[in-house]
Structure formats: C-alpha cells, structure tokens
Amino acid sequence: MDAFITFLRHTTAKVRYGLHKKLRQSYRISHKTVEFSCLLIGAALVSLFSLGFAKLADLGLAWNAYWTQRYPTAVWFILPSGLALLTWFVAKYTPYVGGSGIPQVIASISLPNHADKHRLVAFGQTLWKIPLTFLAMLIGASVGREGPSVQVGAAVMLWWGNICRRYGIAFNGLTANELMATGAAGGLAAAFNAPLAGVIFAIEELGRGVLLRWERRVLLGVLAAGFILVAIDGNNPYFPKYHGATDIPYLYLWVLLCGLVGGVSGGIFARLLAKGIADTLPAIFRHGVHRHPIITAFILGLILTALGVYTQGQTYGTGYHVVTQALDGEALQPDIGIMKLFATVGSYWTGIAGGIFTPSLTIGAGLGVQVASFSDGLIDQRFLVLLCMAAFLAGATQSPVTASVIVMEMTGCQPVLIWLLICCLISSIISRQFSPKPFYHFAAGRFRHRIQEEIQKNRKESS
C-alpha cells in the first residue's frame, strides 16, 4: 500500500512538472507571438505612412504639372515666393525637418543616450515632413519623397516601439537605435517598393560607423514594411520594367566611362550640397546669405524658375517622367542632366524639406542620355541610362551596393546587376576624390553638433 501511494505521489509530481513546463513554453510562445505581431503592426504603420506620403506626393506633382502648363507666367511669382515662405516656416517652426531626412536619422542613431537623443525624429515634428514636401513639389522645387520617407519611417517605428515598451507589451530587447533603423530602412523599402534595397540600405548606410545589432527582428521589420506595401499596392517596379539590352559591345569600356561620369558629377554634386550656398559663393556675398536666408531662397527660386522654363518644366519635382522617357529610349534635351543637378542643388540650399534620391536618379538618367549620344546610336541608350542612374546615385551617396540594388529593384533589371555594381564601385571611388566624407554622414554631423550645442546650452541655463 505504501509503495502504491509513493508511486501515485511520484506520478502526480511528474504530471505537475510536465504541465508547468508546458505552460511556461506556451507563455514563451505567446510572448514571441505578441512581439512579432507588434513588429508587423509597426511595419504596417510605416508602410501606410509611406503609401499615404506617396499618394500625396503624386498629387502634388500632378497639380504642379497642371498649373505650370496652364499659367506659365505665374511660375515666376509662385516658385520664388513659395520657396521663401517654406524656408521661413521650416527655420522658425520645424528646424529638424529641413533637407533629406536621412542625415537626421543617422545623427539620432549616433547620438549618446540622452533625453534629447530623439529630438531629430520626434513623431509630432517629423510628420510635418509630409505636407512640407508636398508643398515643395506643388510649387516646383526639385525634391523627392524617398529621403523624407526614411525620417518619417524612423519616427513612426520609434513612436510605436515606445508605446509598446511603456506598457510592457513588446520590444524590451530592442534599443531605440534598432527601432529607428528598422523604421528608417522600412520607410525606404516602402518608398521605392524595394524590400531588398531597404535591408542593404540599413546595413550599408545606417550602420556605417555605428554599432547596430542586425538581429532577426530588425531585418524582418524592414522586409515586412516592403512586403506589406507590395501586398497593398501591388508588386510593381517604381519605374517601368527594363526591356533593353543586357550586353553591349566593349561593355567594360562603357561601364568604366559611366562610372567615371557618375563619380565626377556625383562627387561634385555631394560637395556642393555639403558646402552650402554661403561657402560656394565668393566671400563678399557670404555675410548677406547668412543674414538674409529668406531673400536668398527667393533669388534661388528665380533661378529654379529660369531652369524650369528653359527645360519646359522637366526640372520641377522628382523628374520621374524624365527617367521614364530615358528608359524607353526616347530622346531628351541634351543638357537635362546638368540642369536637373543645378535645380536640385538650388532647392536643397534653401533648407526646405525634400529629398535627393529620385532627383539624383533623374540626373543620372540625363547623363546617361548624353553618354549614349557619343555612340551615335550604336549602343542601346537604355543600358547606359541604367548604368549612369546607379553610378550617379553611388557617387552622390558613396553607397555603391545600395545604389545598384535600388536601381535593379526599381527597374526589374536583375540580369545587369553585376554591371551596375561594378559601375557603382568605380563611381564611389572617384567620388571620394571630390567629397571625402559621404554626404549623408557629413550632414548628419552638422545635426549632431547642433543637438549637442543645444544640450550644453540647456545645461548652462539650468545650472
């Protein structure tokens, strides 16, 4: 009898231990499920914001094309006045949303943990990036929405992650830097409809010079943002699918030439953006530029208007239609690439919100048409346009892998990816001779220095 009772006790203990173990495993599975669900919700929010941003930007570009064609004289008043007004508003009310948005994310990731670490990607202020970029496109500034989508994506994911951590729901194991990197790269993936490019961008650009843990959750979040947008909006390349040649005579020479053109022009472009208008002009004008930024923006607006009138509106906005025509093999105005470069630099110098990603691709497409003209029709223009698009973007950002993958995913030209990569590597090496530090990281250093100065100022005032 005693042996039977001992057996029952032993059996009961084993059953209790087994049930307890199963319950713990179920809890762990449940917790992982909740965290993965929260990650998907965050990625979905980033995708939805990017999609809404894209629709609004398309509306701004369409309205700009309508009113500039119907009222061509009005451009001389609206574009300069609009740029001056946007410059005033950004400087006074939203000082951290000016420019591309990518430097702000890089600066935030590199700042030490502090109460002001996230000021550059604060949710409330960063959302101003969307209407301000829309207005810039509406009046005709040469800007894109992809860089701003990166800052908005970082702000959205950080905001959502902070909510989940505040209530103990999820993300306790992820740092603020990892949340920002996930949202930023997810924003790029959704903006370009290019999930793989988002992952490459996170590793090559956001992780440059900063220690980030590329664990599974971060990469899944980036990919999820891109794939959710594909599920919502369809799996369509950003530009028309590439149907040109995949091999041309003397291929290596043309790859080298396009890399050289992209590296020189992209390096000069990055240097001009980094220096700003004050350091580019002769010393006699610098004091006036610093003292009267709104008047400077108005004058730049007149120059942008002149460029737009000269190119029949092709320098306004992102330049999407210019790239489309170039990839279709159509003839373009010979100097459209150079004109677009000047228009983009002038728009950036005003300090308004707006990115340089798509305008850079437009510049590259224009340069590709010029390079193709040297072949007298013997070489497929579309192939050279692809090479120069990737090369110029690589020269401007010094991120060759990101540039080649973005162009590949945006045009569906997987068979020529290896040539894009080689061309981008050549371009990046040459670009460093003109702009030793990558532009985004140079601009990020300015934002970081600005935040650190404000922190020290607040400490002195409080003491």
Side-chain angles (χ1 to χ4, degrees):
M1 188 67 178
D2 291 339
F4 180 71
I5 293 173
T6 302
F7 172 77
L8 284 178
R9 287 176 178 173
H10 181 68
T11 303
T12 304
K14 288 181 66 176
V15 171
R16 286 178 178 175
Y17 175 76
L19 287 173
H20 180 66
K21 185 176 180 181
K22 289 294 183 183
L23 287 173
R24 282 193 304 172
Q25 290 176 346
S26 299
Y27 172 77
R28 282 201 299 268
I29 294 171
S30 176
H31 180 72
K32 289 180 180 178
T33 303
V34 169
E35 178 143 323
F36 184 68
S37 300
C38 288
L39 183 67
L40 290 181
I41 292 172
L45 288 172
V46 171
S47 295
L48 291 174
F49 271 92
S50 295
L51 180 61
F53 195 177
K55 298 300 182 184
L56 190 62
D58 290 342
L59 186 64
L61 294 172
W63 285 356
N64 173 261
Y66 172 79
W67 75 262
T68 53
Q69 291 174 9
R70 186 161 186 177
Y71 309 103
T73 307
V75 182
W76 291 96
F77 302 96
I78 294 177
L79 180 50
S81 302
L83 280 178
L85 183 61
L86 287 176
T87 299
W88 168 79
F89 185 89
V90 169
K92 186 173 180 63
Y93 297 106
T94 57
Y96 303 129
V97 303
S100 165
I102 295 175
Q104 288 91 318
V105 176
I106 294 173
S108 295
I109 291 174
S110 63
L111 281 169
N113 290 324
H114 190 272
D116 295 310
K117 175 179 174 65
H118 308 140
R119 189 186 296 182
L120 295 171
V121 290
F123 183 72
Q125 181 174 228
T126 302
L127 288 188
W128 276 102
K129 198 90 173 183
I130 298 175
L132 290 173
T133 304
F134 162 76
L135 291 173
M137 292 180 172
L138 179 62
I139 64 175
S142 179
V143 296
R145 63 172 172 82
E146 290 73 24
S149 295
V150 170
Q151 187 179 7
V152 171
V156 169
M157 184 62 84
L158 181 63
W159 167 76
W160 171 246
N162 286 338
I163 290 177
C164 292
R165 290 195 294 187
R166 186 181 307 147
Y167 295 100
I169 302 174
F171 302 139
N172 289 326
L174 285 179
T175 65
N177 282 354
E178 289 156 353
L179 286 171
M180 285 188 287
T182 302
L188 184 79
F192 280 125
N193 203 359
L196 180 58
V199 173
I200 301 299
F201 170 78
I203 297 172
E204 185 178 32
E205 191 66 59
L206 299 181
R208 183 183 300 179
V210 179
L211 181 62
L212 286 172
R213 292 184 305 164
W214 298 113
E215 60 175 69
R216 185 178 61 174
R217 287 178 293 181
V218 174
L219 300 181
L220 283 176
V222 176
L223 290 171
F227 288 135
I228 289 172
L229 187 72
V230 169
I232 296 173
D233 206 34
N235 186 19
N236 304 307
Y238 187 92
F239 293 118
K241 190 174 179 63
Y242 179 71
H243 294 293
T246 57
D247 193 11
I248 58 177
Y250 305 105
L251 178 58
Y252 291 100
L253 293 178
W254 289 106
V255 169
L256 179 61
L257 177 61
C258 291
L260 177 64
V261 170
V264 172
S265 56
I268 294 173
F269 176 71
R271 187 172 181 82
L272 289 173
L273 293 180
K275 291 183 69 174
I277 184 171
D279 291 336
T280 303
L281 291 174
I284 191 173
F285 298 110
R286 292 175 187 174
H287 179 70
V289 168
H290 285 301
R291 190 173 180 180
H292 304 289
I294 297 174
I295 296 176
T296 301
F298 186 88
I299 295 172
L300 286 170
L302 291 174
I303 296 173
L304 293 181
T305 304
L307 292 173
V309 171
Y310 172 71
T311 61
Q312 299 180 342
Q314 293 186 90
T315 57
Y316 300 144
T318 60
Y320 176 86
H321 295 294
V322 173
V323 179
T324 301
Q325 292 171 359
L327 287 174
D328 285 340
E330 299 179 19
L332 295 177
Q333 187 171 325
D335 56 357
I336 184 62
I338 301 299
M339 295 299 104
K340 185 65 175 176
L341 186 151
F342 289 143
T344 306
V345 170
S347 299
Y348 192 89
W349 277 352
T350 63
I352 63 173
I356 64 167
F357 247 105
T358 311
S360 294
L361 294 171
T362 304
I363 296 168
L367 295 175
V369 172
Q370 283 187 300
V371 171
S373 65
F374 298 147
S375 71
D376 198 24
L378 297 177
I379 305 299
D380 190 342
Q381 171 184 297
R382 296 169 293 181
F383 188 86
L384 298 179
V385 166
L386 270 186
L387 291 178
C388 285
M389 284 171 61
F392 185 85
L393 183 60
T397 62
Q398 293 182 20
S399 299
V401 182
T402 300
S404 56
V405 173
I406 280 180
V407 172
M408 181 270 291
E409 285 197 282
M410 291 175 73
T411 59
C413 62
Q414 288 84 353
V416 300
L417 176 59
I418 183 62
W419 305 119
L420 293 178
L421 181 57
I422 294 172
C423 192
C424 288
L425 289 170
I426 295 171
S427 175
S428 294
I429 294 171
I430 296 172
S431 173
R432 293 191 187 100
Q433 313 311 311
F434 298 89
S435 181
K437 190 169 185 178
F439 164 68
Y440 284 138
H441 290 264
F442 182 89
R446 287 180 172 172
F447 279 108
R448 184 169 56 248
H449 182 67
R450 185 174 175 180
I451 293 296
Q452 290 171 339
E453 282 186 338
E454 292 179 4
I455 292 173
Q456 293 176 357
K457 182 180 178 180
N458 292 335
R459 285 176 179 173
K460 290 179 180 179
E461 290 177 354
S462 60
S463 60

